[in-house]
């Protein structure tokens, strides 16, 4: 019998239970896959705690990204066959399982040269970096960017990619070890926000010129100070809230800070169309295969130990990318 992690009610890491789970057979347009590696992301924590409504309600099998092998294809799937290597990022959960049925339209083939572990570790985080850098704000050579949580999974990919695009890349992190990790992954400057005011740090680094864009997945703890790091007409991109939600604010604040732009994007809107998903994944695979972006896995946990993985993620005891092994 296949195994999966289920959540029957919101709560702490202890609500993640390891149970028998029959994945069923694929219907029309679906495939049955065996996972070989599963990505760990903060959105999994949000679903567990109830910050975000659980997709599909309870009981919930969490998890937003994984890689694996096709076991069986349903009717009307003519571009995949058993044995194909695939990966995906999804907003419907279901990845914390040994096997699952999923719509074929949500997966992409993994090219040679990229391992299953790399694919599982980078689909959600890497395609997030792709849309942030190439579509939300089109970063180009000469731009200066600020990215909070530089040593996190998205940060370590985005830092390398932004440097490849020719930007000056500034990050924030909470410890000396995380600062060194971020600097090894594309960041030109990293500010220890526990020891230094990051607004003053950005001003010093840029000679008062500030940044073209701020990418902020932290939320409450970094707002509204992030706005003070932006040039006039700069863009504030809020794409997460690991420290809690940004409180309501008056739009006039954006005018006061320099006629700023602000947006709250999500990957699954940017990649809602199949052609956008394919283009995003292709761009990610290309930049990784080129060597410009390296995908390193810093932590591995057994699937049955998902609770420990969540505890370490929330406790900021992880860096970069973490995967679960079925």
């Amino acid at each position: 019998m296949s195994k999966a992690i289920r959540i029957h009610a919101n709560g702490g890491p202890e609500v993640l239970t390891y149970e028998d789970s029959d994945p069923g057979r694929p219907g029309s347009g679906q495939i049955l896959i065996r996972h070989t590696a599963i990505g760990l992301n903060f959105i999994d924590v949000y679903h567990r705690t109830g910050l975000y409504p659980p997709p599909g309600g309870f009981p919930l099998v969490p998890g937003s990204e994984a890689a694996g092998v096709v076991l069986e294809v349903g009717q009307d799937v003519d571009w995949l066959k058993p044995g194909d290597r695939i990966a995906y990022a999804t907003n419907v959960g279901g990845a914390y399982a040994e096997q699952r049925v999923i719509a074929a339209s949500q997966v992409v083939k993994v090219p040679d040269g990229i391992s299953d572990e790399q694919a599982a570790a980078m689909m959600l985080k890497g395609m997030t970096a792709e849309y942030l850098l190439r579509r939300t704000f089109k970063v180009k050579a000469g731009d200066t960017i600020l990215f909070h949580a530089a040593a996190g999974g998205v940060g370590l990919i985005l830092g390398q990619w932004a440097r490849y695009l020719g930007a000056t890349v500034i990050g924030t992190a909470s410890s000396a070890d995380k600062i060194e990790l971020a600097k090894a992954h594309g960041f030109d400057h990293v500010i220890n926000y526990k020891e230094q005011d990051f607004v003053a740090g950005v001003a010093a680094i840029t000679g008062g010129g500030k940044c073209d864009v701020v990418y902020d997945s932290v939320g409450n703890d970094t707002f509204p100070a992030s706005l003070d790091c932006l040039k006039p007409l700069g863009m504030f991109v809020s794409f997460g809230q690991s420290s809690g939600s940004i409180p309501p604010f008056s739009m006039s604040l954006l005018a006061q800070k320099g006629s700023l732009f602000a947006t709250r994007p999500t990957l699954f809107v940017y990649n809602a169309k199949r052609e956008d998903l394919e283009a995003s994944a292709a761009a990610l695979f290309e930049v990784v295969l080129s060597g410009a972006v390296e995908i390193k896995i810093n932590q591995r946990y057994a699937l049955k130990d998902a609770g420990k993985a969540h505890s370490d993620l929330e406790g900021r005891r992880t860096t970069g990318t973490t995967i679960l092994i079925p």
Side-chain angles (χ1 to χ4, degrees):
M1 174 65 72
S2 179
K3 294 283 191 178
I5 295 287
R6 281 201 184 92
I7 299 171
H8 295 272
N10 293 129
E14 70 281 354
V15 304
L16 297 164
T17 59
Y18 189 58
E19 303 176 358
D20 291 338
S21 177
D22 181 358
R25 300 285 300 279
S28 178
Q30 296 180 322
I31 57 174
L32 172 65
I33 57 179
R34 174 179 59 82
H35 286 145
T36 51
I38 301 159
L40 177 73
N41 295 280
F42 236 103
I43 194 171
D44 307 342
V45 173
Y46 298 159
H47 288 148
R48 192 203 75 224
T49 61
L51 181 62
Y52 289 177
F58 294 116
L60 166 69
V61 176
S64 302
E65 67 178 344
V69 178
V70 176
L71 297 179
E72 186 178 350
V73 300
Q75 293 181 345
D76 303 317
V77 180
D78 58 5
W79 59 281
L80 289 170
K81 65 183 184 304
D84 283 346
R85 297 169 59 235
I86 59 87
Y88 64 86
T90 178
N91 61 349
V92 298
Y96 284 22
E98 292 178 344
Q99 297 182 19
R100 77 172 299 179
V101 169
I102 191 171
S105 61
Q106 295 188 25
V107 311
V108 296
K109 288 185 178 181
V110 177
D112 293 340
I114 292 177
S115 71
D116 288 7
E117 288 196 354
Q118 286 177 311
M122 75 181 187
M123 293 307 296
L124 190 146
K125 291 173 279 289
M127 290 194 296
T128 296
E130 183 278 325
Y131 86 77
L132 291 174
L133 288 172
R134 299 172 78 242
R135 290 185 278 168
T136 302
F137 182 93
K138 295 182 180 180
V139 172
K140 63 186 183 302
D143 285 343
T144 300
I145 75 172
L146 173 64
F147 188 93
H148 290 299
V154 176
L156 297 187
I157 295 174
L158 186 141
Q160 297 176 80
W161 204 333
R163 173 177 279 186
Y164 175 68
L165 293 173
T168 296
V169 192
I170 305 171
T172 65
S174 62
S175 69
D177 289 347
K178 290 185 176 183
I179 288 172
E180 290 307 309
L181 183 63
K183 286 183 175 179
H185 288 78
F187 284 85
D188 298 291
H189 311 274
V190 187
I191 300 163
N192 187 330
Y193 66 84
K194 289 192 173 181
E195 297 180 354
Q196 181 184 9
D197 173 62
F198 68 81
V199 176
V202 166
I205 291 166
T206 62
K210 301 187 180 182
C211 300
D212 298 280
V213 60
V214 173
Y215 296 111
D216 190 340
S217 64
V218 176
N220 182 69
D221 288 356
T222 48
F223 188 86
S226 286
L227 302 182
D228 293 321
C229 297
L230 285 165
K231 300 174 181 178
L233 308 183
M235 179 175 283
F236 173 67
V237 182
S238 171
F239 70 101
Q241 50 198 45
S242 62
S243 70
S245 300
I246 290 174
F249 66 94
S250 171
M251 290 290 286
S252 64
L253 182 64
L254 300 177
Q256 296 165 16
K257 299 289 186 180
S259 295
L260 304 178
F261 296 86
T263 184
R264 179 57 172 93
T266 66
L267 171 64
F268 301 111
V269 171
Y270 272 79
N271 282 358
K273 296 179 181 178
R274 176 70 194 181
E275 57 264 36
D276 291 330
L277 168 61
E278 290 178 344
S280 182
L284 174 60
F285 291 147
E286 180 182 0
V287 78
V288 172
L289 288 169
S290 76
V293 172
E294 184 178 3
I295 304 299
K296 292 183 179 179
I297 294 135
N298 292 347
Q299 295 85 208
R300 293 173 175 83
Y301 299 81
L303 176 60
K304 64 182 178 63
D305 296 327
K308 169 64 172 169
H310 273 227
S311 178
D312 288 348
L313 180 64
E314 290 179 281
R316 300 182 185 272
R317 293 184 291 274
T318 66
T319 57
T321 299
T322 302
I323 60 171
L324 306 174
I325 305 298

